[in-house]
Amino acid sequence: MTSYRVRALPGLPEVRPGDDLAKLIAAAGPELSDGDVLLVTSKIVSKAEGRIIEAADREAAIDAETVRIVARRGPLRIVENRQGLVMAAAGVDASNTAPGTVLLLPEDPDASARAIRDGLRDALGVDIGVIVTDTFGRPWRNGLTDVAIGAAGVRVLDDLRGGTDAHGNPLSATVVAVADELAAAGDLVKGKAEGLPVAVVTGLSHLVGDADEGARAMVRVAADDMFRLGTSEAVREAVTQRRTVRDFTDGAVDPGAVRRAVAAAVTAPAPHHTTPWRFVLLESPESRTRLLDAMRDAWIADLRRDGKSEDSIARRVRRGDVLRKAPYLVVPCLVMDGSHSYGDARRDTAEREMFVVAMGAGVQNFLVALAGERLGSAWVSSTMFCREVVREVLDLPADWDPMGAVAVGHAAGPPKDRPAREGSMFIEVR
């Protein structure tokens, strides 16, 4: 391929609900040839498919088309819509439509592209590719451009992985968004206000064929999307996704991820501008086994002193095995450096409680940050019942108070559903 041509297709009438777009395009472009790529603005597809609704309140229409809010700033919302696209206002458009109405995106843009392609084959006997386009903003970039939201008969992605560049370097991550590049090229000749909703690309017939993947293949799946959420939404998502995980795979834990979580933990508030948190990271199997064996022995001794039967003790010990299942353990410790002594039991108790609350805030930060790193965790209180044993085994200073242990690892399965908690049930207003 040495060159190609992009031109707008003039002569299309105002599109109305029920119109056969393929016939309208065939009448305006009888010269269309095999191997051409047709770029069709989604607005006229929506109009032909009757995706015009009465909507005195555009926000309500956006709500109806929204699956998930990605980010919000004032009235502007970036959302995932019913088509799986992440975009402003769910693609609900109040321009180029009568007052009091809005345009929704085509219900299935890939199906719309297939219908236009099939219709043009019937009308003109040509084998062409069809791309349905819409205007998007882009993260990190100013300005708008057209992208592909539907496609038929055209390669949408060009996977170059496994090949080499001109210097022989291996290509390991290069997948070219061909359909988006074509959509943007078409926008250069269609414009936004010239009344030219269709463009034709000639000279790229190698991209046209029986490809049936559609533009849906260009939408990054959630598991691979590193930028799935906006800032405030990411915080809420991490908080709600933090679950107590009791079964872990044997996959290794990235020590760097744990250290990043500790960095988040120590941003928690604390009294008197203190830093009462210490995190002991048990990264070797030997250190974990040594601690857990010593804690188990101390726990069994306590239960025997309480008169528990051997069967009861065995059951309780098994319930505490979550720490043994984890490939990584963290022991958060409280230090009272900077605390005040009042010489009064009531105030001294309150002083310690303030530090304990700060410790809880730090551990919560830690657990949420681990969830953000896609690591599961379980905060278990067991070290608080044998602090002297923990200090001795881990060779900790006498003023470090172990405040439980956090099991860290990759969850062995998806979390179980849990009952929703209605916030209003926990609120009292005075």
Side-chain angles (χ1 to χ4, degrees):
M1 188 274 293
T2 57
S3 66
Y4 64 92
R5 180 184 175 216
V6 186
R7 59 186 175 86
L9 189 67
L12 263 78
E14 179 68 23
V15 176
R16 303 184 185 282
D19 282 349
D20 187 325
L21 263 186
K23 288 183 177 179
L24 295 180
I25 293 169
E31 74 284 2
L32 289 172
S33 302
D34 288 347
D36 285 347
V37 178
L38 198 69
L39 307 167
V40 184
T41 302
S42 63
K43 281 186 177 63
I44 65 170
V45 179
S46 294
K47 288 180 178 180
E49 295 179 356
R51 298 283 285 166
I52 305 170
I53 64 170
E54 300 287 336
D57 182 3
R58 180 175 177 240
E59 296 303 308
I62 295 171
D63 289 341
E65 292 297 302
T66 294
V67 172
R68 177 176 62 89
I69 294 177
V70 175
R72 182 196 301 267
R73 182 167 296 172
L76 177 63
R77 281 182 283 173
I78 306 297
V79 306
E80 180 183 345
N81 66 11
R82 295 179 182 276
Q83 292 80 5
L85 302 168
V86 175
M87 61 191 308
V92 176
D93 196 344
S95 63
N96 295 303
T97 186
T101 66
V102 295
L103 274 176
L104 308 181
L105 288 177
E107 190 167 351
D108 184 344
D110 285 331
S112 302
R114 288 193 297 271
I116 295 171
R117 183 176 189 244
D118 291 344
L120 287 168
R121 181 187 289 118
D122 293 342
L124 300 177
V126 293
D127 184 20
I128 67 172
V130 176
I131 295 176
V132 177
T133 71
D134 198 57
T135 303
F136 270 48
R138 299 148 301 150
W140 311 296
R141 305 286 289 179
N142 287 322
L144 304 171
T145 187
D146 267 20
V147 303
I149 65 168
V154 63
R155 190 191 316 163
V156 297
L157 295 168
D158 192 5
D159 191 346
L160 303 180
R161 292 173 297 183
T164 58
D165 63 17
H167 298 281
N169 300 309
L171 299 173
S172 58
T174 304
V175 180
V176 179
V178 175
D180 282 351
E181 293 182 327
L182 290 168
D187 192 42
L188 292 174
V189 296
K190 287 189 296 181
K192 298 298 183 190
E194 284 76 12
L196 298 169
V198 177
V200 182
V201 179
T202 302
L204 298 179
S205 59
H206 65 286
L207 298 177
V208 176
D210 292 327
D212 59 1
E213 58 188 346
R216 187 71 187 225
M218 305 181 74
V219 178
R220 196 183 298 274
V221 298
D224 296 334
D225 189 352
M226 295 177 65
F227 307 99
R228 184 168 169 80
L229 302 170
T231 303
S232 59
E233 290 73 21
V235 172
R236 284 196 294 272
E237 180 81 359
V239 170
T240 57
Q241 290 303 308
R242 188 220 60 77
R243 302 288 187 94
T244 296
V245 174
R246 300 191 180 279
D247 290 299
F248 301 91
T249 71
D250 56 4
V253 171
D254 175 13
V258 178
R259 284 160 173 77
R260 289 191 292 272
V262 170
V266 299
T267 64
H272 314 314
H273 306 289
T274 57
T275 53
W277 317 277
R278 303 292 185 271
F279 291 84
V280 184
L281 312 183
L282 278 61
E283 296 184 340
S284 71
E286 295 78 16
S287 64
R288 294 192 296 274
T289 300
R290 189 169 61 251
L291 174 65
L292 295 177
D293 284 352
M295 288 171 55
R296 178 198 58 204
D297 293 345
W299 193 12
I300 290 173
D302 281 345
L303 292 171
R304 284 175 175 160
R305 281 194 295 270
D306 292 340
K308 302 296 183 184
S309 71
E310 293 302 313
D311 284 345
S312 173
I313 292 172
R315 286 195 301 272
R316 290 167 184 260
V317 169
R318 283 197 298 272
R319 286 201 298 270
D321 275 351
V322 61
L323 296 177
R324 290 189 184 273
K325 295 177 182 178
Y328 197 109
L329 289 183
V330 178
V331 178
C333 294
L334 170 67
V335 297
M336 297 288 291
D337 291 349
S339 64
H340 296 173
S341 178
Y342 299 94
D344 174 274
R346 177 180 59 83
R347 289 193 290 172
D348 285 345
T349 297
E351 180 78 0
R352 178 172 175 80
E353 287 175 345
M354 287 196 303
F355 276 75
V356 171
V357 168
M359 188 70 209
V363 173
Q364 171 70 353
N365 275 12
F366 181 63
L367 300 178
V368 169
L370 288 174
E373 297 279 355
R374 298 190 177 185
L375 288 170
S377 64
W379 186 17
V380 181
S381 61
S382 52
T383 68
M384 300 172 70
F385 292 89
C386 52
R387 285 176 170 143
E388 288 299 333
V389 171
V390 176
R391 279 192 285 261
E392 180 180 351
V393 172
L394 298 182
D395 193 23
L396 302 180
D399 60 347
W400 286 29
D401 275 349
M403 302 295 284
V406 179
V408 182
H410 299 279
K416 296 180 180 179
D417 290 336
R418 60 183 175 188
R421 293 175 180 172
E422 176 55 51
S424 61
M425 297 175 60
F426 302 89
I427 297 173
E428 291 289 337
V429 179
R430 297 290 186 264

